[in-house]
Amino acid sequence: MRRPMRALPLLVAGAALSAAAFAQTLLIDRIVVRVNDRIATMMDFQRQLGDRKQAILADPGMQDARRQELLQEAGRDVLTEIYQELLLLSRADQLGARATEADVDKALAQTRERMNLQDDAQFQRALQDGGLSEQALRDRLRQNLLVQEVMGREVHPRL
């Protein structure tokens, strides 16, 4: 005696949802810029573009015509900035530039001081308001230090 295949529709629906999620992941994780071993994904681009647009829209003193102009140019400008940063970070790799944990700790302390964040509770609130984790901030500071190193070695002496 055969049993009816009641689970088959559920399996088909589950497979369809998995395929859709996989396709969405491929779209988001698609590489949009590559410089040597460094990449930027569509998700990186979309996050930075969203931040840029939000900053443009949040500026109360900006005239509407200028705001529209900046919003239209935002995608190209963000892509250019990502490309330039990847070039600098790739050059940092080639030069063997390193940012130690002590360097990152010092940069973090300077950032906290500059933002006038005396205690950990204020610091954690500022991170949360900015949508960052402490590790994401540390990674960003590390990248900034590497970019500064390249600029100091390669660009500034030529000016």
Side-chain angles (χ1 to χ4, degrees):
M1 184 151 111
R2 256 176 90 175
R3 294 184 190 169
M5 297 184 71
R6 294 180 191 169
L8 185 60
L10 291 176
L11 289 174
V12 171
L17 288 174
S18 295
F22 181 72
Q24 182 66 24
T25 301
L26 285 178
L27 178 63
I28 290 173
D29 289 342
R30 184 176 54 171
I31 295 171
V32 293
V33 178
R34 180 178 178 179
V35 176
N36 297 325
D37 291 338
R38 298 221 174 230
I39 62 166
T41 64
M42 181 61 80
M43 188 172 10
D44 298 327
F45 172 74
Q46 288 176 340
R47 184 182 62 251
Q48 290 184 33
L49 180 61
D51 291 346
R52 170 71 58 91
K53 286 182 175 182
Q54 185 178 11
I56 292 168
L57 293 170
D59 187 347
M62 190 179 300
Q63 294 179 349
D64 285 339
R66 179 68 178 147
R67 179 175 285 117
Q68 290 306 315
E69 180 184 341
L70 290 175
L71 287 170
Q72 287 177 349
E73 297 170 353
R76 183 188 66 229
D77 292 346
V78 166
L79 197 56
T80 299
E81 288 173 11
I82 289 171
Y83 180 68
Q84 290 171 345
E85 183 176 9
L86 290 179
L87 280 172
L88 289 167
L89 291 171
S90 180
R91 184 64 181 147
D93 293 343
Q94 293 169 353
L95 294 171
R98 296 288 173 256
T100 65
E101 285 303 311
D103 295 333
V104 175
D105 290 341
K106 183 178 175 184
L108 184 59
Q110 290 171 344
T111 300
R112 285 179 68 158
E113 184 178 318
R114 198 170 39 252
M115 295 178 70
N116 200 25
L117 301 170
Q118 278 86 29
D119 61 33
D120 283 335
Q122 288 178 329
F123 176 63
Q124 292 302 323
R125 267 195 311 278
L127 286 173
Q128 188 176 23
D129 291 345
L132 286 174
S133 67
E134 185 171 347
Q135 186 58 49
L137 177 61
R138 292 180 69 80
D139 292 343
R140 186 74 211 148
L141 290 171
R142 182 174 286 105
Q143 288 181 342
N144 289 347
L145 290 168
L146 292 172
V147 166
Q148 290 171 10
E149 174 81 18
V150 171
M151 297 293 282
R153 283 193 202 180
E154 300 274 314
V155 177
H156 295 159
R158 295 179 184 177
L159 295 177

